[in-house]
């Protein structure tokens, strides 16, 4: 039983959702963390990215993502067309760059490294694997400042779960 399966099995669910800083690389064998809130902080007229991951206990088919409405504390609905998402793909790397000190490696090759944002709207996630999802958000100039709350819904052949999404829009551009 690997660390990913043990963590997910503990909750007796087919998959775990968890958020992670956008600067962290998520590999297929990265174990989940206990973080259930995607937080984005952004000024008006700014783009910002965030990342969350799905860790599968069993093979998941027809994995799809839906962004539910982000609602401002005043009731204003954030325009969904300003939120995009992509599954993160992997690039196989056979060798590391020569003469690079070990402390500079995120991971040593050979390995599959997360990099491309793929356009597929539905994927399969194999059992025991972790799949990152990249979010991009643009805050229009006319959006009210303050807190927005909503959810990201993950639908699979084995059910659906959601993770909380919070957007804090600063009162400047």
């Amino acid at each position: 039983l690997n660390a990913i399966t043990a963590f997910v099995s503990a909750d007796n669910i087919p998959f775990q959702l968890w958020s992670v800083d956008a600067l962290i690389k998520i590999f297929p064998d990265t174990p989940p963390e206990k973080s259930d809130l995607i937080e984005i902080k952004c000024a008006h007229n700014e783009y910002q990215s965030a990342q969350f991951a799905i860790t599968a206990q069993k093979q998941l088919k027809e994995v799809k993502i839906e962004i539910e409405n982000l609602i401002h504390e005043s009731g204003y609905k954030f325009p969904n067309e300003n939120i995009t998402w992509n599954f993160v793909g992997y690039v196989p790397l056979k060798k590391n760059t020569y003469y690079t000190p070990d402390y500079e490696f995120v991971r040593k090759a050979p390995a599959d490294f997360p990099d491309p944002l793929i356009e597929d709207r539905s994927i399969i996630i194999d059992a025991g694997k972790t799949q990152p999802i990249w979010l991009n958000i643009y805050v229009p100039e006319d959006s009210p400042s303050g807190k927005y709350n909503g959810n990201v819904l993950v639908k699979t052949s084995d059910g659906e779960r959601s993770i909380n999404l919070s957007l804090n829009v600063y009162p400047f551009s």
Side-chain angles (χ1 to χ4, degrees):
L1 200 68
N2 68 32
I4 291 175
T5 305
F7 181 87
V8 177
S9 296
D11 291 337
N12 197 25
I13 54 173
F15 62 96
Q16 179 75 31
L17 300 179
W18 50 287
S19 67
V20 62
D21 188 283
L23 297 176
I24 303 294
K25 296 210 177 288
I26 303 299
F27 294 88
D29 62 349
T30 300
E33 297 176 7
K34 291 191 177 195
S35 53
D36 60 357
L37 175 65
I38 304 166
E39 281 189 282
I40 301 172
K41 297 175 181 176
C42 207
H44 291 100
N45 201 31
E46 181 182 21
Y47 287 88
Q48 191 61 261
S49 297
Q51 180 177 219
F52 74 98
I54 303 167
T55 301
Q57 177 181 353
K58 58 189 252 180
Q59 185 184 61
L60 301 173
K61 297 178 182 175
E62 301 173 33
V63 179
K64 299 175 183 173
I65 309 298
E66 287 183 17
I67 308 293
E68 296 180 346
N69 287 324
L70 286 177
I71 307 295
H72 185 265
E73 49 206 2
S74 70
Y76 172 84
K77 287 185 183 178
F78 189 83
N80 265 8
E81 64 268 14
N82 292 324
I83 306 171
T84 60
W85 64 270
N86 295 86
F87 292 110
V88 177
Y90 291 95
V91 176
L93 185 64
K94 294 180 183 176
K95 293 182 181 182
N96 292 109
T97 306
Y98 295 111
Y99 308 113
T100 302
D102 285 351
Y103 68 86
E104 289 187 9
F105 291 127
V106 173
R107 177 173 285 195
K108 284 191 168 186
D112 290 336
F113 283 78
D115 188 56
L117 300 178
I118 58 178
E119 295 296 323
D120 296 347
R121 298 287 95 185
S122 176
I123 63 168
I124 295 172
I125 304 173
D126 289 330
K129 299 293 182 187
T130 296
Q131 174 62 56
I133 294 88
W134 190 260
L135 300 172
N136 281 312
I137 191 162
Y138 169 70
V139 177
E141 193 70 43
D142 61 350
S143 298
S145 301
K147 280 275 212 184
Y148 294 77
N149 291 297
N151 292 298
V152 177
L153 184 63
V154 176
K155 293 183 174 185
T156 76
S157 57
D158 284 291
E160 58 186 57
R161 297 191 76 193
S162 64
I163 186 167
N164 298 321
L165 176 58
S166 172
L167 170 64
N168 187 14
V169 177
Y170 295 122
F172 55 84
S173 297

